[in-house]
Amino acid sequence: MDGIGDSESFLAAYDPRAYDPIAVTVDVVALTIRDAQLQVLLVRRGEQPQAGSWALPGGFVRPLIGPDGERTEEDLAQTAARELAEEAGPQLRATHLEQLGSYGTPGRDPRMRVVSVAYLAFAPEMPEATPGTDAADAQWVPVSALGLSPTGGPVTRSVTQRPGTTRPLAFDHAQILAAGVERARAKLEYTPLATAFVREPFTISDLREVYETVWAEKLHAGNFHRKVLSVPGFVESTGDQTESGGPRGGPRAKLYRRGDATLLHPALLRPTSEEAARP
Amino acid sequence: MDGIGDSESFLAAYDPRAYDPIAVTVDVVALTIRDAQLQVLLVRRGEQPQAGSWALPGGFVRPLIGPDGERTEEDLAQTAARELAEEAGPQLRATHLEQLGSYGTPGRDPRMRVVSVAYLAFAPEMPEATPGTDAADAQWVPVSALGLSPTGGPVTRSVTQRPGTTRPLAFDHAQILAAGVERARAKLEYTPLATAFVREPFTISDLREVYETVWAEKLHAGNFHRKVLSVPGFVESTGDQTESGGPRGGPRAKLYRRGDATLLHPALLRPTSEEAARP
DNA sequence: TTAATAGTGTCTTTGAGACATTATACT
DNA sequence: AGTATAATGTCTCAAAGACACTATTAA
């Protein structure tokens, strides 16, 4: 239950400040597709512990002190959105934000008990994070460069930050990132969220590139095309087409915007999803 | 990111006890099937606020003080398992426990900022919660009796606790419960978790009753039977069969145990899952 | 002219679902 | 006997995937 326990004595004895406090943070796994790669927004830690390591953007949940000194409190999702805007620059407008999970294993932060509520954000392709702002230390990094183990367990490889300088992700952020990537892969199957990675209007090929990049699988262009158009409400034609053909030739493509479906029926299943089902 | 922010000044200024503390609780949505109904374990709140209301079992996350006075800390999932054992009695052995989500909207608890990490548990049919123990105030309640709105929003109907006494769920627990039920329904489609609601060995009909109860849909017995056996690793034959036929006749059924699959391929989709896809 | 791409057509196989059928066991 | 259930068989339709093909555009 929330709040107080079952016994009156506990209520009487309970003083929130008498216990070791538990800190609550919000961390964000922000994914985008840049250079035909799935990339995640990371920030450089300037402070101990793990100074110099890359970490997920995020921060403590605490009351905000306004200019008038008045205090307001944010929803957890609002906190996630604000952290993202602060650390990636205001030009990042995530098209999707959902809760990923919470991480509270004792010892995951060496200073105190910290429970992190992780959020997952999808954004269309972004220009480089702008140095000179709050986001000076933020950078998009290809997920493949992080060498995640499938389980998100201990990371053996690491980020190449500058020539000769590599470090693994701070805390248990590799595990959180792995969970975010897997969630993204699964959600492309059953939801129209692939459209959150592209700007409108988009072509069916744009959408296929999203699937191929996130799933790390080549898809059959013809079958994919017919499949997307056959799912009710996935995409909606604008009536227009691209100004020109592709960079290496080909006809001009029809343009689409997001449809009104919230789930894909039938779903677009991953080609290899079968192998993962058995031990 | 976890822990301290980007600026040195913040580190210097930060004293965890200087801020209004945030409490972290763990709440459990424990589901089972009793009397051919989906039921949830609820406890009666003895204290204010919301004294007398039904609530999800749960409690604060805080260090445990052992008999020697030494302190140990639990993982969030361990906390959930312990709360469940304390409030439902030790004979409840949940066969599945997973994190459901976290709820931290300001004001959801009138006393202070509380972030609740909700867990979802599945258990096979249990005897009535044992009065006279810690679980004296715990009770299995049919989910259908709680009149959940589809979104988990404000509840209009309420629990009939004793003749003439009805109350809605405390705090935002109706919303958490609704999320748990929807998660359970979805998970039956893609995972073998229906087996977590039955004891081994079980018959295909036992499994079908689980699906019919959780989904609140009648399924075609013949097609269901063939389908379950066609999914690799869903169930595994024991070679035995039931001692006798059903209560109203029929042949004796073959017995099965859980298979080794972690995902169902192909999935067992809900008959009506299509309608929910469009607004 | 060559190559690459958008979009469509066709065929095969798999699976879902409706329905029928047989055998078994309870009343 | 009559009825309910377990388990299997058959048929139809939808959908996935492999492959072919045409039309269009860039280099």
Side-chain angles (χ1 to χ4, degrees):
Chain A
M1 86 186 76
D2 276 8
I4 50 185
D6 290 355
S7 67
E8 184 95 30
S9 61
F10 175 69
L11 173 63
Y14 186 69
D15 168 8
R17 301 190 179 219
Y19 287 89
D20 287 348
I22 299 180
V24 179
T25 68
V26 168
D27 294 324
V28 182
V29 177
L31 299 177
T32 194
I33 291 174
R34 288 162 46 93
D35 307 325
Q37 286 183 308
L38 183 65
Q39 305 205 359
V40 60
L41 186 70
L42 298 180
V43 297
R44 283 271 282 182
R45 284 185 60 80
E47 315 296 334
Q48 292 297 337
Q50 316 243 21
S53 292
W54 292 98
L56 298 174
F60 284 98
V61 174
R62 53 180 193 274
L64 294 177
I65 313 295
D68 319 352
E70 71 186 309
R71 295 165 30 189
T72 56
E73 289 194 282
E74 301 167 304
D75 193 280
L76 294 174
Q78 289 169 343
T79 302
R82 179 178 52 77
E83 296 288 352
L84 201 51
E86 284 178 4
E87 311 218 41
Q91 81 281 11
L92 187 155
R93 24 149 250 192
T95 39
H96 177 71
L97 184 69
E98 69 177 50
Q99 195 180 296
L100 178 58
S102 295
Y103 296 80
T105 304
R108 61 184 289 277
D109 186 301
R111 292 160 296 178
M112 64 185 294
R113 182 81 188 258
V114 176
V115 173
S116 258
V117 184
Y119 276 77
L120 178 62
F122 297 161
E125 184 156 13
M126 300 296 306
E128 189 53 60
T130 52
T133 70
D134 277 12
D137 287 327
Q139 194 171 318
W140 292 103
V141 176
V143 170
S144 61
L146 296 169
L148 298 183
S149 73
T151 61
V155 176
T156 53
R157 298 180 53 217
S158 51
V159 187
T160 300
Q161 183 253 334
R162 299 193 197 283
T165 314
T166 63
R167 301 190 76 95
L169 288 190
F171 306 111
D172 55 359
H173 288 192
Q175 181 187 350
I176 299 174
L177 172 58
V181 170
E182 179 48 36
R183 172 81 65 91
R185 288 179 172 157
K187 282 227 147 186
L188 291 204
E189 294 191 306
Y190 304 107
T191 73
L193 280 179
T195 59
F197 285 106
V198 295
R199 297 181 192 283
E200 292 182 311
F202 53 84
T203 68
I204 303 292
S205 292
D206 291 337
L207 211 52
R208 179 164 46 83
E209 280 171 36
V210 171
Y211 276 92
E212 290 181 337
T213 302
V214 176
W215 285 352
E217 306 240 24
K218 279 293 166 198
L219 300 178
H220 184 104
N223 288 341
F224 180 86
H225 191 106
R226 181 165 9 85
K227 169 73 185 181
V228 166
L229 294 184
S230 78
V231 176
F234 192 0
V235 299
E236 181 178 288
S237 176
T238 66
D240 301 324
Q241 55 181 12
T242 52
E243 303 268 326
S244 61
R248 283 177 294 187
R252 299 192 285 169
K254 292 179 186 165
L255 290 169
Y256 299 86
R257 61 175 87 88
R258 300 176 184 97
D260 60 359
T262 55
L263 291 172
L264 302 185
H265 280 275
L268 252 148
L269 298 180
R270 276 175 279 188
T272 57
S273 52
E274 195 159 338
E275 276 102 62
R278 307 285 302 269
Chain B
M1 89 185 79
D2 277 6
I4 51 184
D6 291 356
S7 66
E8 185 93 31
S9 61
F10 174 68
L11 174 62
Y14 185 67
D15 169 10
R17 302 192 180 217
Y19 288 88
D20 285 348
I22 299 179
V24 179
T25 67
V26 167
D27 294 323
V28 182
V29 177
L31 299 178
T32 195
I33 291 174
R34 288 162 48 93
D35 307 325
Q37 285 184 308
L38 182 65
Q39 305 205 0
V40 59
L41 185 71
L42 297 180
V43 297
R44 283 271 284 182
R45 283 185 62 79
E47 314 298 333
Q48 290 299 337
Q50 318 242 21
S53 293
W54 292 99
L56 298 174
F60 284 98
V61 174
R62 53 181 194 271
L64 293 177
I65 312 297
D68 318 352
E70 71 187 310
R71 296 167 28 192
T72 55
E73 290 194 281
E74 301 168 305
D75 194 279
L76 294 174
Q78 289 170 344
T79 303
R82 180 178 51 79
E83 297 287 351
L84 202 50
E86 284 178 3
E87 312 219 41
Q91 81 280 12
L92 187 154
R93 26 149 249 192
T95 39
H96 176 72
L97 184 68
E98 71 177 48
Q99 196 181 295
L100 178 58
S102 295
Y103 297 79
T105 304
R108 61 184 289 276
D109 187 303
R111 292 160 296 176
M112 63 185 296
R113 181 82 186 256
V114 176
V115 173
S116 256
V117 184
Y119 277 77
L120 178 63
F122 297 161
E125 184 155 13
M126 301 296 306
E128 190 54 59
T130 52
T133 70
D134 277 11
D137 287 328
Q139 194 172 318
W140 292 102
V141 176
V143 170
S144 61
L146 296 168
L148 297 182
S149 72
T151 62
V155 177
T156 53
R157 298 180 53 216
S158 50
V159 188
T160 300
Q161 184 255 336
R162 302 196 194 280
T165 313
T166 63
R167 301 189 77 96
L169 287 189
F171 307 111
D172 55 359
H173 288 191
Q175 181 187 351
I176 299 174
L177 171 57
V181 170
E182 179 47 36
R183 172 80 66 90
R185 287 178 171 158
K187 282 226 148 188
L188 291 203
E189 294 191 304
Y190 304 108
T191 71
L193 282 178
T195 59
F197 285 105
V198 295
R199 298 181 190 282
E200 292 181 313
F202 52 85
T203 68
I204 303 292
S205 293
D206 291 338
L207 211 51
R208 179 165 47 82
E209 280 171 35
V210 171
Y211 276 91
E212 290 180 336
T213 303
V214 176
W215 285 351
E217 308 240 20
K218 279 290 166 200
L219 300 178
H220 183 105
N223 288 342
F224 180 88
H225 191 107
R226 183 166 10 87
K227 169 75 185 181
V228 166
L229 294 184
S230 76
V231 176
F234 192 177
V235 299
E236 181 179 288
S237 176
T238 65
D240 300 325
Q241 55 183 11
T242 51
E243 303 269 327
S244 61
R248 283 177 292 186
R252 299 192 285 168
K254 293 178 186 166
L255 290 169
Y256 299 86
R257 62 175 86 85
R258 301 178 183 97
D260 60 358
T262 56
L263 292 173
L264 302 185
H265 281 276
L268 253 148
L269 298 181
R270 277 175 278 187
T272 58
S273 54
E274 197 159 340
E275 277 101 63
R278 307 284 303 268

